[in-house]
Amino acid sequence: MSYRDLASRQALAWAVVAVGARMPVAMAPLALVFLVRERPGGYTLGAALAAAYVIGEIVAAPVLGTRMRPHRARRQLALGLSAGALGFTGLGAFPHAHPAVLAACAALAGAAPAAAPGGLRALLTGLVPKRAVAQALSAESMLTFGIWSLTPAVVTGLALEAAPRVPLLLAAALMAASVPGLWTLPAGWDADETDRAGESMPRILARAWPAYVMGAAGLSLLALAELVLPALLEQRGAGVGWAGPLLTGLSLGAAVGAFLYGLRSWPGRLSTRSTVLTCGMAACLALVALIPDLAWMACALVFAGVLQAGAMLTRNLSLREMLPPSALAAGYSVMYAAVGAGYAATGSLAGALLPFVAPSTAILAGVGLTLLLTLVGAWGERDRTASAGDLSAGADPGAAGRGAAGPGATDPGATGRGAGGRGGSGREVREGAVRDAAVPGPEVREGVAGIPVQPAARDLPAGGAEGTAVRGGGDPEHRL
């Protein structure tokens, strides 16, 4: 396995568009805090604006994602990104507006392009051969983690050195610039909407709930690392300024992990891999809460990033297994909303606990919540897999045999013989069906007159040890 299948002009064009569409998303929360921090109660207002932005994303992503049509996705992506750029422009152009106006602009900036991450991901996987899907998702993860590692420094530098509005104006420009880039890419991706077999989109998406729960569990750990780390550093007696480099190490570790994951095939089922990787990341965060030494905390965070990338990739690949192609973009959008909800829930839990407990205890409580979500997701995936296995096995193992062997046969072993399995050929069964239809006899269940038929004798081919089988209707009681 390699990344050679990604070396194309269209893949490069996709990367440019993705940077323009995703960098504003990474910049928004911190940029909103800097925008109003000099007002009275500025940090509280900034947190409220960031919450409005995130809520807009969470609410709009599944709604817009389910309405995206694979063959005309470009138009929907362009409209969403254009409206998002308008929301960022309103924030940057009117920084002293009423808080309600700023909250409306923040909600628009978050909601309008909320389906873009899922649509762009589906577009990327449609650009590459199926054998290179894992590598494409790995490359996407590397790009995403690279963006998230750079944006804090970019936002902080521009807000402090230029003006608080500049990061939001830059976000608007980047998102607007990504719109014409969509016309360098295909209009959509191949998907046959009949692959849903008439089932409604909400019901199809609901079947993949274990993947969404696992996604929420994974990003909840990131919320712990980002939101509680400064307080934990103060508890350890270290400078709060180390939070930036430590989080950068987390993002760089994730980028390295995404690259390594795409280099080869990994053993085990996707759901098992996702569970193991998420639990491993939770263990790393628990170590961060318990280790007093700053250097070892940094190592634990880097390794947590490596595991986070693998967990995220396995979740996306699992989602591809659970959903038909025509529902993938919608599934990615629902996943986007689920991970945002997990981030918000864990961050809220940690924030509520910090006034009453030590930061290390708040992190451990968040790790406990993450493990609970992981167990629920793993149980749901196991139950879903078991149900799918039962359906594929069929409701009545003898039904196929009765259909193949004629109206009088009820032998449950006919299934294997009708399929050409061990002990008989399809030709023999078809000739037996003609014979039984031509000369009706008593219903045979265990054998004639209650004498059981030995499977070894019945499974002999037409020209068995006793010679050529008797054909026609000369043996109505099937004693030969």
Side-chain angles (χ1 to χ4, degrees), residues 18 29 45 86 91 96 101 137 159 208 212 268 280 294 301 307 338 352 359 363-364 374 449 456 475 478:
L45 177 58
L86 183 63
L91 289 167
H96 303 292
V101 175
L137 294 176
Y212 309 141
L294 189 63
L301 282 172
L307 297 178
I363 290 180
L364 293 176
T374 302
D475 183 34
H478 307 290

Side-chain angles (χ1 to χ4, degrees), residues 224 227-228 344-359 361-363 365-366:
L224 290 175
L227 301 178
V228 188
T346 308
S348 300
L349 173 65
L353 290 177
L354 279 177
F356 307 102
V357 300
T361 306
I363 290 180

Side-chain angles (χ1 to χ4, degrees), residues 304-395:
V306 174
L307 297 178
Q308 181 196 11
M312 187 177 74
L313 287 166
T314 53
R315 288 193 301 270
N316 289 331
L317 291 172
S318 295
L319 199 62
R320 288 180 61 85
E321 284 188 348
M322 296 178 185
L323 299 177
S326 64
L328 278 178
Y332 290 142
S333 297
V334 175
M335 175 73 83
Y336 187 73
V339 297
Y343 187 99
T346 308
S348 300
L349 173 65
L353 290 177
L354 279 177
F356 307 102
V357 300
S360 57
T361 306
I363 290 180
L364 293 176
V367 168
L369 175 61
T370 297
L371 291 176
L372 177 62
L373 290 173
T374 302
L375 290 176
V376 171
W379 171 81
E381 174 61 20
R382 181 179 179 182
D383 185 64
R384 188 193 69 84
T385 304
S387 299
D390 292 341
L391 288 175
S392 63

Side-chain angles (χ1 to χ4, degrees), residues 423-444:
S425 65
R427 174 174 175 268
E428 181 184 27
V429 173
R430 287 193 298 271
E431 291 181 357
V434 173
R435 180 186 64 209
D436 289 344
V439 183
E443 183 178 1
V444 180

